[in-house]
Amino acid sequence: MTRDSDTDVIKQGDGAVRRRTGMKSVGYHMLCILVAVVVALAGCSTPSENHLSDREISRLVSDLNGEESDKTVVAIYKLIREGPSVLPMLIDGGAGSLHLFGDDIIRGLGPSAVDPLMRLLESARSAERKELIVSAMGIVGPPCSPAVEMIIEEINTAPPDLRIAICRALGSIMPQGDLAIDALVGMLEDPAATVAGEAAIALGRIATPGDQEAIDAILAITNQGSPDSLTPELAFALHQLGWSRHDMFDFISSKGRDHQARGHLGAVRALAELANCESLRILGDLVRDPVYPTRTCVIYQLELCGPQPEVLHILVEAVQSEDNDLQFAALLKLSSFGPSARPVLPELYALRRGSENEIIDADTADFLDRAIILISQNIKGSMDQH
């Protein structure tokens, strides 16, 4: 979990955003939309030839944590334009800088961030700094394959939070070969349950179906797949490996449908990772259930499924709910899909035209406008408003 002291959000490992007192949530979500616009613009630009001084970069990194949204947007744009040289100070800015909006900067830098991140990891001394660097490598994804051996070397001396970051990074980088598989299998029995769960999810992502060694390792620690010993994450790994797929899916589904079941949120994560018709139906039912306590969490997990038609349909339905938090989360996810969400533009336009009703209030309507801009890629129109 990561916090930023100057904002009203706490980002959790499950992708959900929790609130606390401070700046209005509407302002935070609006800022996220502006950030997406800025990243799109910066990604279409060439790197700056007039490089910033270290002092200027440091000031911009500080602006990421400020309460003035205009300064934050300008900082993100300038940092992406500056290029990979901003990474050391971005990492030095700590968890607030990296995890609140730094991930957008790192995505904007793309493969150019790989070598600088590897050098930073090689010289890092504290576990906290290593966690930030490894997390950044996971954001970059497959281009960070050359860093896999370095990442795995950190496991033996890593505290739990760093081990979690390593699992997530390996699951995002999706390296080829046995090195990462062996490392993840070794963490399936980690004393920290959260680490073991992340290792299982990552193993399910990258292992080749039918990998008997991986299957045997899971069966050995689950009493041959006994429901009493399984977790939803381990069931997901076995499902992806091709072992008793029907039974594993039934196990995950039963946990996912029952929000009081032990391991329920792990099952929601697994269902989103599976992203098949039945798992999406279950997730949609959870989002539609007005008494389900963590509907917003499910919305954030839907990003894992990609812009499938059913996912888009669930998100549009959520925009029409009477829960403002659910509306904002759904619009944020629709915006993140960009042009891939264009099939639902007619429905969003219709909602905007009917925004005088009680469901779409003024704040939601403003947020809806920006979602439409990002999905239709009318970026210039958005920047003209700000």
Side-chain angles (χ1 to χ4, degrees):
M1 179 176 70
T2 59
R3 296 172 181 259
D4 184 278
S5 59
D6 295 315
T7 68
D8 68 330
V9 294
I10 303 175
K11 282 196 174 184
Q12 308 258 351
D14 61 8
V17 175
R18 314 291 190 220
R19 294 248 187 95
R20 57 192 174 97
T21 58
M23 189 171 59
K24 289 183 178 179
S25 177
V26 172
Y28 166 74
H29 288 297
M30 296 278 284
L31 182 53
C32 287
I33 291 294
L34 285 174
V35 166
V37 172
V38 168
V39 170
L41 283 175
C44 297
S45 306
T46 56
S48 174
E49 294 181 359
N50 299 317
H51 291 289
L52 301 171
S53 67
D54 287 350
R55 183 176 180 179
E56 288 173 312
I57 294 173
S58 179
R59 177 181 58 78
L60 291 170
V61 171
S62 296
D63 286 345
L64 294 177
N65 295 328
E67 295 186 6
E68 297 181 48
S69 60
D70 290 345
K71 283 188 175 181
T72 301
V73 170
V74 170
I76 292 169
Y77 179 78
K78 288 186 175 180
L79 288 169
I80 294 175
R81 288 266 292 161
E82 183 64 15
S85 63
V86 307
L87 285 168
M89 289 192 189
L90 191 63
I91 297 295
D92 289 339
S97 297
L98 183 60
H99 291 287
L100 188 59
F101 294 116
D103 52 354
D104 296 291
I105 297 170
I106 292 166
R107 288 190 189 96
L109 295 174
S112 68
V114 175
D115 288 342
L117 286 172
M118 290 178 68
R119 289 194 294 270
L120 286 171
L121 183 58
E122 189 174 22
S123 63
R125 294 294 175 261
S126 72
E128 182 180 17
R129 186 175 176 82
K130 290 177 180 179
E131 179 190 344
L132 293 170
I133 297 166
V134 170
S135 296
M137 289 175 166
I139 293 168
V140 175
C144 271
S145 292
V148 166
E149 188 171 350
M150 292 178 65
I151 294 172
I152 290 173
E153 287 175 356
E154 299 292 337
I155 292 174
N156 291 335
T157 58
D161 285 347
L162 177 52
R163 297 200 300 276
I164 289 172
I166 289 171
C167 292
R168 289 176 179 166
L170 293 176
S172 296
I173 296 170
M174 303 186 72
Q176 301 296 312
D178 295 334
L179 186 63
I181 299 293
D182 292 343
L184 291 170
V185 167
M187 285 191 282
L188 292 176
E189 293 188 273
D190 194 283
T194 49
V195 176
E198 290 293 341
I201 291 291
L203 184 63
R205 279 185 165 196
I206 71 175
T208 303
D211 185 328
Q212 197 58 48
E213 289 187 16
I215 292 171
D216 289 344
I218 298 174
L219 293 179
I221 62 177
T222 60
N223 191 24
Q224 301 302 304
S226 167
D228 293 335
S229 303
L230 269 179
T231 65
E233 295 91 344
L234 287 168
F236 167 77
L238 284 172
H239 179 279
Q240 297 301 91
L241 287 163
W243 189 86
S244 193
R245 292 172 66 93
H246 180 77
D247 290 341
M248 293 303 100
F249 184 77
D250 283 349
F251 177 84
I252 296 168
S253 299
S254 65
K255 296 282 188 181
R257 290 189 184 95
D258 182 3
H259 68 83
Q260 294 183 326
R262 184 178 180 182
H264 168 71
L265 289 180
V268 169
R269 167 83 177 276
L271 288 168
E273 292 277 358
L274 290 169
N276 57 35
C277 292
E278 180 61 18
S279 68
L280 290 177
R281 188 185 66 78
I282 295 170
L283 294 175
D285 288 344
L286 292 176
V287 171
R288 296 180 191 105
D289 184 353
V291 300
Y292 177 61
T294 53
R295 293 195 291 171
T296 304
C297 174
V298 179
I299 292 291
Y300 281 98
Q301 295 292 352
L302 284 172
E303 188 171 10
L304 297 169
C305 307
Q308 301 185 42
E310 180 58 25
V311 172
L312 298 178
H313 178 67
I314 293 170
L315 293 175
V316 170
E317 281 192 342
V319 174
Q320 299 174 70
S321 76
E322 297 184 3
D323 183 330
N324 283 122
D325 287 342
L326 198 66
Q327 290 175 330
F328 295 142
L331 286 169
L332 187 60
K333 291 302 105 182
L334 284 168
S335 300
S336 72
F337 289 142
S340 297
R342 280 179 175 168
V344 297
L345 271 177
E347 294 174 82
L348 297 182
Y349 282 127
L351 284 172
R352 187 62 185 90
R353 287 193 297 272
S355 60
E356 293 79 9
N357 62 42
E358 295 181 359
I359 293 178
I360 306 296
D361 60 22
D363 288 328
T364 307
D366 201 9
F367 198 54
L368 177 57
D369 284 341
R370 281 149 183 80
I372 290 171
I373 288 167
L374 286 175
I375 294 168
S376 63
Q377 284 202 327
N378 183 12
I379 296 172
K380 183 180 183 300
S382 177
M383 293 302 286
D384 287 344
Q385 294 178 35
H386 300 276

